[in-house]
PDB file of all heavy atoms in Angstrom:
ATOM      1  N   ALA T   4       1.181 -28.108 -32.193  1.00 84.00           N
ATOM      2  CA  ALA T   4       2.064 -27.022 -31.761  1.00 84.00           C
ATOM      3  C   ALA T   4       1.272 -25.755 -31.457  1.00 84.00           C
ATOM      4  O   ALA T   4       1.585 -25.019 -30.518  1.00 84.00           O
ATOM      5  CB  ALA T   4       3.104 -26.750 -32.847  1.00 84.00           C
ATOM      6  N   VAL T  16      -0.836 -16.011 -18.757  1.00 93.00           N
ATOM      7  CA  VAL T  16      -1.827 -14.936 -18.634  1.00 93.00           C
ATOM      8  C   VAL T  16      -2.587 -15.053 -17.320  1.00 93.00           C
ATOM      9  O   VAL T  16      -2.765 -14.066 -16.594  1.00 93.00           O
ATOM     10  CB  VAL T  16      -2.810 -14.969 -19.825  1.00 93.00           C
ATOM     11  CG1 VAL T  16      -4.017 -14.065 -19.549  1.00 93.00           C
ATOM     12  CG2 VAL T  16      -2.113 -14.531 -21.103  1.00 93.00           C
ATOM     13  N   ILE T  17      -3.024 -16.251 -16.990  1.00 91.00           N
ATOM     14  CA  ILE T  17      -3.804 -16.443 -15.767  1.00 91.00           C
ATOM     15  C   ILE T  17      -2.965 -16.134 -14.528  1.00 91.00           C
ATOM     16  O   ILE T  17      -3.403 -15.429 -13.610  1.00 91.00           O
ATOM     17  CB  ILE T  17      -4.341 -17.887 -15.706  1.00 91.00           C
ATOM     18  CG1 ILE T  17      -5.376 -18.107 -16.812  1.00 91.00           C
ATOM     19  CG2 ILE T  17      -4.964 -18.177 -14.337  1.00 91.00           C
ATOM     20  CD1 ILE T  17      -5.831 -19.541 -16.948  1.00 91.00           C
ATOM     21  N   VAL T  31      -3.786   1.348  -3.972  1.00 85.00           N
ATOM     22  CA  VAL T  31      -4.775   2.109  -3.190  1.00 85.00           C
ATOM     23  C   VAL T  31      -4.272   2.321  -1.762  1.00 85.00           C
ATOM     24  O   VAL T  31      -4.434   3.404  -1.172  1.00 85.00           O
ATOM     25  CB  VAL T  31      -6.131   1.378  -3.192  1.00 85.00           C
ATOM     26  CG1 VAL T  31      -7.100   2.026  -2.211  1.00 85.00           C
ATOM     27  CG2 VAL T  31      -6.723   1.395  -4.602  1.00 85.00           C
ATOM     28  N   ALA T  32      -3.627   1.301  -1.196  1.00 80.00           N
ATOM     29  CA  ALA T  32      -3.092   1.427   0.154  1.00 80.00           C
ATOM     30  C   ALA T  32      -1.968   2.465   0.222  1.00 80.00           C
ATOM     31  O   ALA T  32      -1.741   3.078   1.272  1.00 80.00           O
ATOM     32  CB  ALA T  32      -2.573   0.071   0.634  1.00 80.00           C
ATOM     33  N   TYR T  85      14.111  -6.028 -24.764  1.00 83.00           N
ATOM     34  CA  TYR T  85      13.046  -6.904 -25.266  1.00 83.00           C
ATOM     35  C   TYR T  85      12.569  -6.439 -26.635  1.00 83.00           C
ATOM     36  O   TYR T  85      12.303  -7.248 -27.526  1.00 83.00           O
ATOM     37  CB  TYR T  85      11.854  -6.910 -24.306  1.00 83.00           C
ATOM     38  CG  TYR T  85      12.138  -7.480 -22.937  1.00 83.00           C
ATOM     39  CD1 TYR T  85      11.307  -7.167 -21.857  1.00 83.00           C
ATOM     40  CD2 TYR T  85      13.215  -8.333 -22.716  1.00 83.00           C
ATOM     41  CE1 TYR T  85      11.543  -7.695 -20.607  1.00 83.00           C
ATOM     42  CE2 TYR T  85      13.468  -8.848 -21.457  1.00 83.00           C
ATOM     43  CZ  TYR T  85      12.621  -8.522 -20.405  1.00 83.00           C
ATOM     44  OH  TYR T  85      12.854  -9.042 -19.161  1.00 83.00           O
ATOM     45  N   GLY T  94       6.480  -8.480 -36.516  1.00 73.00           N
ATOM     46  CA  GLY T  94       6.068  -8.089 -37.864  1.00 73.00           C
ATOM     47  C   GLY T  94       6.888  -6.920 -38.366  1.00 73.00           C
ATOM     48  O   GLY T  94       7.565  -6.230 -37.595  1.00 73.00           O
ATOM     49  N   ARG T 100       4.457  -2.787 -35.293  1.00 85.00           N
ATOM     50  CA  ARG T 100       5.520  -2.499 -34.342  1.00 85.00           C
ATOM     51  C   ARG T 100       5.077  -1.477 -33.302  1.00 85.00           C
ATOM     52  O   ARG T 100       5.435  -1.578 -32.127  1.00 85.00           O
ATOM     53  CB  ARG T 100       6.771  -2.021 -35.076  1.00 85.00           C
ATOM     54  CG  ARG T 100       7.420  -3.118 -35.903  1.00 85.00           C
ATOM     55  CD  ARG T 100       8.801  -2.757 -36.373  1.00 85.00           C
ATOM     56  NE  ARG T 100       9.451  -3.877 -37.022  1.00 85.00           N
ATOM     57  CZ  ARG T 100      10.707  -3.878 -37.427  1.00 85.00           C
ATOM     58  NH1 ARG T 100      11.463  -2.792 -37.251  1.00 85.00           N
ATOM     59  NH2 ARG T 100      11.231  -4.942 -38.006  1.00 85.00           N
ATOM     60  N   PHE T 106       2.792  -4.059 -25.679  1.00 92.00           N
ATOM     61  CA  PHE T 106       2.636  -5.429 -25.196  1.00 92.00           C
ATOM     62  C   PHE T 106       3.975  -6.149 -25.030  1.00 92.00           C
ATOM     63  O   PHE T 106       4.007  -7.344 -24.738  1.00 92.00           O
ATOM     64  CB  PHE T 106       1.760  -6.234 -26.161  1.00 92.00           C
ATOM     65  CG  PHE T 106       0.410  -5.627 -26.393  1.00 92.00           C
ATOM     66  CD1 PHE T 106      -0.021  -5.319 -27.678  1.00 92.00           C
ATOM     67  CD2 PHE T 106      -0.435  -5.342 -25.340  1.00 92.00           C
ATOM     68  CE1 PHE T 106      -1.261  -4.745 -27.899  1.00 92.00           C
ATOM     69  CE2 PHE T 106      -1.680  -4.769 -25.544  1.00 92.00           C
ATOM     70  CZ  PHE T 106      -2.102  -4.471 -26.826  1.00 92.00           C
ATOM     71  N   PRO T 121       8.999 -19.426 -36.122  1.00 88.00           N
ATOM     72  CA  PRO T 121       8.716 -17.980 -36.157  1.00 88.00           C
ATOM     73  C   PRO T 121       7.229 -17.661 -36.048  1.00 88.00           C
ATOM     74  O   PRO T 121       6.842 -16.691 -35.381  1.00 88.00           O
ATOM     75  CB  PRO T 121       9.284 -17.535 -37.508  1.00 88.00           C
ATOM     76  CG  PRO T 121      10.365 -18.525 -37.799  1.00 88.00           C
ATOM     77  CD  PRO T 121       9.863 -19.831 -37.257  1.00 88.00           C
ATOM     78  N   TRP T 129       1.672 -12.296 -29.168  1.00 94.00           N
ATOM     79  CA  TRP T 129       0.418 -11.541 -29.194  1.00 94.00           C
ATOM     80  C   TRP T 129      -0.611 -12.090 -28.214  1.00 94.00           C
ATOM     81  O   TRP T 129      -1.289 -11.307 -27.528  1.00 94.00           O
ATOM     82  CB  TRP T 129      -0.151 -11.510 -30.613  1.00 94.00           C
ATOM     83  CG  TRP T 129       0.628 -10.648 -31.545  1.00 94.00           C
ATOM     84  CD1 TRP T 129       1.442 -11.044 -32.563  1.00 94.00           C
ATOM     85  CD2 TRP T 129       0.696  -9.210 -31.538  1.00 94.00           C
ATOM     86  NE1 TRP T 129       2.009  -9.963 -33.193  1.00 94.00           N
ATOM     87  CE2 TRP T 129       1.564  -8.821 -32.582  1.00 94.00           C
ATOM     88  CE3 TRP T 129       0.106  -8.231 -30.750  1.00 94.00           C
ATOM     89  CZ2 TRP T 129       1.848  -7.489 -32.858  1.00 94.00           C
ATOM     90  CZ3 TRP T 129       0.389  -6.892 -31.024  1.00 94.00           C
ATOM     91  CH2 TRP T 129       1.255  -6.533 -32.057  1.00 94.00           C
ATOM     92  N   ILE T 133      -1.521  -9.432 -25.245  1.00 95.00           N
ATOM     93  CA  ILE T 133      -2.891  -8.906 -25.207  1.00 95.00           C
ATOM     94  C   ILE T 133      -3.671  -9.528 -24.050  1.00 95.00           C
ATOM     95  O   ILE T 133      -4.434  -8.846 -23.355  1.00 95.00           O
ATOM     96  CB  ILE T 133      -3.601  -9.163 -26.546  1.00 95.00           C
ATOM     97  CG1 ILE T 133      -2.912  -8.363 -27.660  1.00 95.00           C
ATOM     98  CG2 ILE T 133      -5.078  -8.779 -26.467  1.00 95.00           C
ATOM     99  CD1 ILE T 133      -3.454  -8.639 -29.042  1.00 95.00           C
ATOM    100  N   ALA T 190      20.846 -15.490 -10.702  1.00 83.00           N
ATOM    101  CA  ALA T 190      20.022 -15.424  -9.494  1.00 83.00           C
ATOM    102  C   ALA T 190      20.860 -15.000  -8.285  1.00 83.00           C
ATOM    103  O   ALA T 190      20.419 -14.182  -7.459  1.00 83.00           O
ATOM    104  CB  ALA T 190      19.369 -16.774  -9.238  1.00 83.00           C
ATOM    105  N   ALA T 195      22.230 -10.940  -4.347  1.00 89.00           N
ATOM    106  CA  ALA T 195      23.277 -10.290  -3.566  1.00 89.00           C
ATOM    107  C   ALA T 195      23.221  -8.767  -3.681  1.00 89.00           C
ATOM    108  O   ALA T 195      23.525  -8.048  -2.724  1.00 89.00           O
ATOM    109  CB  ALA T 195      24.649 -10.797  -4.027  1.00 89.00           C
ATOM    110  N   VAL T 212      25.545 -11.412 -16.743  1.00 79.00           N
ATOM    111  CA  VAL T 212      26.028 -12.790 -16.623  1.00 79.00           C
ATOM    112  C   VAL T 212      25.756 -13.552 -17.912  1.00 79.00           C
ATOM    113  O   VAL T 212      26.631 -14.240 -18.454  1.00 79.00           O
ATOM    114  CB  VAL T 212      25.360 -13.499 -15.427  1.00 79.00           C
ATOM    115  CG1 VAL T 212      25.745 -14.975 -15.403  1.00 79.00           C
ATOM    116  CG2 VAL T 212      25.750 -12.819 -14.126  1.00 79.00           C
TER     117      VAL T 212
END
Side-chain angles (χ1 to χ4, degrees):
V16 167
I17 293 173
V31 171
Y85 296 160
R100 292 193 173 186
F106 303 124
W129 289 108
I133 295 175
V212 174

